[in-house]
Amino acid sequence: VTTPLVERLVVVGLGLIGGSFAKGLRARGVCREVVGVDLDPQARRMAVKLGVVDRCEERLAAACEGADVIMLAVPILAMERVLGELARLDLGDAVLTDAGSAKGNVVRAADAAFGGVPARFVPGHPIAGSEQSGVEAANGELFKRHKVILTPLPQTDAVALQRVDQLWRELGADVEHMQVEHHDQVLAATSHLPHLLAFGLVDSLAKRNENLEIFRYAAGGFRDFTRIAGSDPVMWHDIFLANREAVLRTLDVFRDDLDALRDAVDAGDGHHLLGVFTRARVAREHFS
Ligand code: NAD
């Protein structure tokens, strides 16, 4: 019998991400005990019933007693409150990490709560998910072959970082380290902007078409492009409030390019259109 890597893992927020993290590590025997915390009693009951955690606590203080690793997987806008509560507890030398989709705001919240970002806080973001949410959707294989970005700060403790890194690797994830600002800019461009466009396009068409009749003619391209408009509206509203500056930068650049495309259509500038479409196709082939 191998010794577990972690004696007691605490997962705060038993939704898709927290539930999947807990379930995957528990299934692999990486932790001696996995304790869940959630505001929602139904989520706590389901988490135990589905074998996502060993036990649940309603209160953070009771759950975090004797914890080695604490994973925060609550909605981004709830991070500030949870970090504030954690700062009032004696966490011993527990490693603290999170899974929030934007990093700058979580790091700022940790800074404010603890009066300086603790060395044992390792900010992180798994680039995996689905259109589903809640503990029922928890899947221990969700992170397999997906990237997880950790955004350590200069003061981050090397042992804490290695611990969090190792837990994600146990789940089959491909872990990378990046600076906080770089993470937020990259994600604004590759994830947040596309979600804004998909939500925006579907809404723009829907609100002008009573009975949503127009979508009967939607072909594969429209379906592919707008799949992500089926994502959780509350989570995405959180992300745009949390990553405002980086989103605005990438949105303004894109808006200039969209204006240029509009001008090309208006002017019948086939050269411009062909240039954009050809470059895009080459780029797309590069990553697909
Ligand atoms: P979710 O809605 O499925 O689950 C969130 C859970 O947190 C819920 O069970 C809710 O009851 C609980 N909760 C809310 N406030 C709480 C509090 N103060 N204390 C304790 N529990 C609380 O959300 P999710 O999709 O699992 O997302 C969790 C985090 O992971 C978010 O920060 C999100 O940005 C990030 N994330 C999500 C995805 C994704 O695709 N879903 C991907 C990567 C990262």
Side-chain angles (χ1 to χ4, degrees):
V1 184
T2 51
T3 334
L5 273 174
V6 172
E7 285 292 321
R8 182 170 296 158
L9 168 72
V10 176
V11 177
V12 188
L14 296 166
L16 172 72
I17 299 298
S20 299
F21 185 78
K23 195 174 183 178
L25 291 174
R26 190 165 179 257
R28 287 167 173 81
V30 174
C31 311
R32 194 173 308 277
E33 190 186 32
V34 181
V35 184
V37 188
D38 202 291
L39 285 182
D40 176 8
Q42 177 69 11
R44 294 199 300 270
R45 265 195 302 277
M46 282 306 284
V48 174
K49 194 171 159 202
L50 297 173
V52 167
V53 295
D54 294 292
R55 65 179 166 95
C56 273
E57 294 287 346
E58 187 179 345
R59 297 173 54 81
L60 264 181
C64 292
E65 222 167 274
D68 302 283
V69 177
I70 303 169
M71 159 60 84
L72 306 183
V74 296
I76 300 194
L77 298 186
M79 292 284 183
E80 192 177 336
R81 181 173 144 194
V82 173
L83 285 161
E85 283 181 44
L86 285 173
R88 289 193 290 276
L89 302 176
D90 174 11
L91 299 178
D93 51 7
V95 170
L96 195 57
T97 187
D98 82 300
S101 306
K103 301 276 35 97
N105 79 304
V106 180
V107 169
R108 283 191 294 277
D111 190 16
F114 288 87
V117 183
R120 293 188 155 267
F121 176 50
V122 181
H125 175 208
I127 313 289
S130 77
E131 281 71 67
Q132 296 171 294
S133 59
V135 73
E136 295 84 356
N139 164 15
E141 306 304 312
L142 183 67
F143 307 110
K144 218 175 189 171
R145 288 187 292 279
H146 280 269
K147 283 203 192 326
V148 169
I149 302 177
L150 301 180
T151 61
L153 301 173
Q155 70 262 39
T156 306
D157 181 73
V159 178
L161 176 60
Q162 208 240 320
R163 212 129 193 241
V164 174
D165 194 304
Q166 196 173 356
L167 288 179
W168 284 114
R169 285 182 203 278
E170 292 286 338
L171 295 171
D174 168 16
V175 185
E176 287 188 23
H177 299 179
M178 210 182 258
Q179 286 198 346
V180 171
E181 300 71 27
H182 187 52
H183 168 278
D184 285 358
Q185 201 57 61
V186 167
L187 269 293
T190 56
S191 169
H192 307 169
L193 178 62
H195 277 82
L196 195 74
L197 299 181
F199 280 127
L201 176 62
V202 174
D203 179 55
S204 174
L205 297 181
K207 71 185 178 198
R208 289 177 181 79
N209 289 275
E210 246 178 271
N211 309 325
L212 307 179
E213 170 81 1
I214 193 176
F215 295 116
R216 284 182 45 221
Y217 305 102
F222 187 80
R223 268 175 217 290
D224 289 351
F225 180 69
T226 59
R227 177 181 58 81
I228 53 179
S231 304
D232 181 4
V234 177
M235 181 177 110
W236 281 95
H237 131 286
D238 274 29
I239 290 175
F240 286 101
L241 296 180
N243 200 23
R244 185 165 156 255
E245 281 98 34
V247 167
L248 286 177
R249 272 194 296 275
T250 198
L251 184 59
D252 287 347
V253 169
F254 180 68
R255 202 168 53 174
D256 289 346
D257 288 344
L258 191 61
D259 282 342
L261 277 169
R262 188 198 177 282
D263 291 347
V265 171
D266 187 21
D269 183 352
H271 182 71
H272 181 88
L273 296 176
L274 201 55
V276 171
F277 300 163
T278 307
R279 285 195 305 275
R281 183 160 86 165
V282 170
R284 185 70 180 75
E285 279 162 4
H286 185 70
F287 71 78
S288 59

